[in-house]
Each structure stands twice: as C-alpha cells, then as structure tokens.
C-alpha cells in the first residue's frame, strides 16, 4: 500500500518581521521535536518560506504516514496534541492536503 502524504501550510502571527521570525522558529522547533516519536510517521520535514511573495505561506509541514489509520492516530497522539496546544494562537491561517500518490 502506498504511503499517505500529509502536507500542512501555515501563515504565522507577528506584528513585526522579528516577532514573525521568532514564532516561525518556535513552530519549526516544536514539530521537529516530535520527529521519530509518532508510530506510523515515516517522514517529517518542516520548511520555512524563502520566497517572501505575498501569496506564499510562511511554513510548510511535509510528512508521510504508513497508512490512513496512522495519520488518524497522529491527530490524537499526545505529542501532537501537546505541540498544537503549545503553538495555539501562533498560526493565523492553515491549509492542509492529505493524499495517496498515484
């Protein structure tokens, strides 16, 4: 069975470039901290936008799961829920796509 790809993109809160950069690094570090701790998660990568075009999101999470059930389990895993609570209010927009590649 093919892996399930889970991609999430955020825009990050910040009244200044410095505050936005701090919040972005905080989000990046929090998600990097759960790498290897979630059963069924095969890959976790965090990318910070370098284009700075006005329509770009600030941060992307790219992850792969061994199954749809593994992704569902991740959604409620204590490490993931801890990170979500820790980052509450930092994200001002969120977009998500989950798919099985052809």
């Amino acid at each position: 069975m093919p892996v399930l790809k889970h991609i999430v993109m955020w825009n990050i809160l910040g009244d200044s470039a410095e505050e936005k950069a701090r919040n972005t690094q905080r989000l990046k570090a929090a998600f990097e901290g759960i790498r290897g701790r979630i059963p069924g998660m095969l890959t976790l990568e965090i990318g910070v936008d370098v284009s700075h075009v006005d329509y770009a999101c600030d941060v992307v999470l790219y992850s792969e799961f061994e199954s749809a059930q593994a992704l569902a389990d991740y959604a409620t895993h204590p490490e993931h829920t801890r990170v979500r609570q820790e980052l509450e209010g930092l994200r001002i927009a969120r977009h998500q796509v989950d798919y099985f590649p052809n």
Side-chain angles (χ1 to χ4, degrees):
M1 174 175 255
V3 299
L4 177 61
K5 298 187 181 209
H6 173 68
I7 300 173
V8 183
M9 296 181 292
W10 297 281
N11 286 330
I12 305 300
L13 180 68
D15 291 331
S16 66
E18 294 78 19
E19 181 183 15
K20 191 174 208 173
R22 277 193 308 274
N23 289 341
T24 296
Q25 288 307 310
R26 187 172 156 203
L27 183 142
K28 185 176 188 302
F31 276 99
E32 286 175 341
I34 66 172
R35 185 180 285 126
R37 295 176 172 220
I38 309 291
M41 178 186 275
L42 305 172
T43 302
L44 182 140
E45 182 178 302
I46 298 284
V48 176
D49 178 62
V50 295
S51 73
H52 304 290
V53 296
D54 61 351
Y55 53 84
C57 290
D58 299 315
V59 181
V60 64
L61 165 75
Y62 171 84
S63 54
E64 295 180 353
F65 291 85
E66 62 187 21
S67 66
Q69 185 59 54
L71 176 58
D73 293 344
Y74 162 71
T76 59
H77 190 281
E79 287 292 318
H80 180 240
T81 55
R82 177 188 56 77
V83 166
R84 285 179 55 202
Q85 290 171 351
E86 178 183 320
L87 300 173
E88 187 80 25
L90 290 186
R91 300 163 290 193
I92 57 176
R94 183 181 185 280
H95 307 278
Q96 176 176 325
V97 176
D98 299 322
Y99 68 97
F100 289 104
N102 293 336

